[in-house]
Amino acid sequence: MTVIKNIAKDRVLQITVAIAVISLFFAKPRLADINFSTLWSIMAMMTIIQIFEYLHILDYFAYRLTSHAENTRELTWLFVALATVAGMFLTNDVTVITLVPLYLRVAKRYHLPEILPVTLIGMAANFGSAFTPFGNTHNIFLMNHYHINGARFFSWSIPLLVASVLLLVLFTLFVKKQPIPTVPVRDIRIQKRPTIITCIVALVIFAGVFDVLPSWVGAIAAMALAFAFSPKIMGKVDYAIVLTFAGFFVIVSVLQQIPWVVTLISGLMSTEHSVYLTSILSSQVISNVPSTVLIGKFTNLAAALFLGSNIGGLGTIIGSMNNLLVYKEYTNFGRHHSGKFFLGFFGLNLIGLLVLGVMGWLILDFVY
């Protein structure tokens, strides 16, 4: 019952279902438009993430690294670095849910700055997840939809990661060097054999994302492992995101059959730069995941869509689901009023969007 309640109260899923139901009055969705490979891959990733959570992998590294910080800037650097790497493998959502409360507990204890560091942790999680095909759900969709191989994907993501890291370094320079006491290390131990087995299953999932194996193989392997460790793990899997993606496919299938919608979107897909800008701007309004699914049905310019959808995660609080989670975690654990954090978070994200948006334009012109 808890699983059903969690699915039912997911606000994004509620909105998606409502729009999907309304769309059914305009046309009948086509089964061929639903990308089941993407759904299997997302299910697999959501399951393996919960297994890593169960094994406390991220908690272990978080407490080990933060114990070495001597001032606020070093602490921010460590959290940003960990968020970037964790986002690559554990997704931006899990990274934020774990690291933002951890940082805020340390910040509250020692009266450290909150708004800039927390914003940078959220940005770093976004940038890290953009680097790998399995770091976030819209990259999984792009891999399956365009049948992108690993070499091609990383030829896109490496320049973006370099530009993103430069932006993060620039922002961290504005964190004041305030001395802090040594952060105590909790006694968190990694279970070696379960961790190794989990990593092997993760490789099977990654093989599915890269089309080396059928994507359903990784999903079944992950679910079997979860049941083997503890059936309770499956109760914590984010099924709502899988259902939300299914809803996106239904909505997009209907939109593809409405002439004026096809004409409007097709008119914005003429060049790489128009796809890039459309992806960024639409992400600010409907979030980068549904934006990617929608635009992906109307263009073959995958590189521009990849770049725009990942940079479009910056900006407004709905630019990506990750941004909403950062805000939610701050309201739960932060010291300042949520309104003050919202203004600071939005302002920093907007600056980041403008700077990285220009860098992305240059990457599109001179690197891709």
Side-chain angles (χ1 to χ4, degrees):
M1 289 301 293
T2 302
V3 174
I4 296 174
K5 287 180 180 178
N6 289 337
I7 293 173
K9 71 180 183 181
D10 187 280
R11 189 60 57 86
V12 176
L13 177 59
Q14 291 172 359
I15 296 171
T16 303
V17 169
I19 296 173
V21 171
I22 294 171
S23 73
L24 297 178
F25 290 97
F26 296 92
K28 183 180 179 181
R30 296 172 297 213
L31 187 63
D33 290 330
I34 299 177
N35 192 323
F36 288 99
S37 292
T38 297
L39 296 179
W40 277 118
S41 295
I42 293 172
M43 181 64 193
M45 285 303 302
M46 294 302 104
T47 305
I48 204 72
I49 284 165
Q50 288 304 320
I51 296 175
F52 277 117
E53 281 275 279
Y54 173 77
L55 296 173
H56 299 292
I57 303 297
L58 192 54
D59 289 334
Y60 173 85
F61 287 107
Y63 279 99
R64 287 289 173 185
L65 286 176
T66 54
S67 65
H68 300 292
E70 295 181 357
N71 58 63
T72 50
R73 186 178 295 177
E74 279 188 19
L75 185 64
T76 302
W77 274 338
L78 288 170
F79 267 91
V80 166
L82 182 57
T84 302
V85 175
M88 296 177 185
F89 303 100
L90 301 178
T91 76
N92 49 9
D93 294 352
V94 170
T95 300
V96 162
I97 291 171
T98 304
L99 294 187
V100 169
L102 174 58
Y103 176 83
L104 288 172
R105 283 197 291 268
V106 175
K108 188 177 293 184
R109 180 173 181 177
Y110 300 113
H111 303 285
L112 307 180
E114 293 182 348
I115 296 176
L116 178 54
V118 169
T119 300
L120 293 182
I121 292 169
M123 286 184 178
N126 265 336
F127 297 154
S129 67
F131 177 67
T132 58
F134 34 78
N136 54 43
T137 48
H138 61 272
N139 278 357
I140 293 174
F141 167 75
L142 290 172
M143 292 290 291
N144 283 291
H145 182 66
Y146 292 108
H147 303 288
I148 302 167
N149 61 43
R152 186 182 177 198
F153 181 89
F154 286 112
S155 72
W156 298 343
S157 67
I158 289 174
L160 177 59
L161 180 66
V162 172
S164 302
V165 169
L166 290 174
L167 178 65
L168 288 172
V169 170
L170 176 64
F171 272 139
T172 54
L173 294 178
F174 290 93
V175 178
K176 294 180 180 179
K177 287 186 176 182
Q178 176 183 333
I180 57 174
T182 302
V183 179
V185 179
R186 285 174 55 187
D187 185 23
I188 301 175
R189 299 181 182 181
I190 292 180
Q191 304 173 59
K192 291 184 179 180
R193 184 176 295 178
T195 300
I196 291 172
I197 295 172
T198 304
C199 288
I200 292 172
V201 172
L203 291 175
V204 173
I205 295 170
F206 300 161
V209 174
F210 285 110
D211 275 339
V212 177
L213 291 174
S215 52
W216 58 265
V217 174
I220 292 176
M223 288 185 281
L225 184 62
F227 276 114
F229 284 161
S230 173
K232 291 181 180 179
I233 294 174
M234 292 305 300
K236 297 181 179 180
V237 172
D238 189 357
Y239 300 102
I241 188 66
V242 182
L243 295 174
T244 298
F245 247 86
F248 290 160
F249 289 135
V250 169
I251 295 166
V252 171
S253 179
V254 171
L255 290 176
Q256 284 181 284
Q257 301 174 61
I258 302 176
W260 70 267
V261 174
V262 174
T263 301
L264 175 64
I265 298 178
S266 297
L268 299 172
M269 302 291 106
S270 56
T271 67
E272 284 190 328
H273 292 95
S274 63
V275 171
Y276 173 68
L277 290 176
T278 301
S279 178
I280 290 178
L281 294 175
S282 59
S283 295
Q284 305 308 302
V285 181
I286 62 173
S287 190
N288 57 359
V289 173
S291 169
T292 305
V293 176
L294 178 60
I295 294 174
K297 296 292 184 177
F298 292 90
T299 182
N300 291 319
L301 300 173
L305 179 55
F306 161 81
L307 199 60
S309 62
N310 282 295
I311 293 176
L314 294 172
T316 65
I317 199 167
I318 59 173
S320 76
M321 283 298 297
N322 180 65
N323 293 350
L324 288 169
L325 286 174
V326 173
Y327 179 74
K328 178 182 177 182
E329 294 302 315
Y330 188 86
T331 57
N332 289 336
F333 298 98
R335 191 170 68 245
H336 300 298
H337 189 273
S338 59
K340 182 179 180 181
F341 175 77
F342 175 83
L343 292 175
F345 180 82
F346 175 67
L348 291 166
N349 261 273
L350 187 58
I351 294 171
L353 177 62
L354 293 173
V355 174
L356 197 58
V358 172
M359 296 172 77
W361 186 283
L362 296 175
I363 290 172
L364 201 58
D365 275 342
F366 300 107
V367 181
Y368 287 1

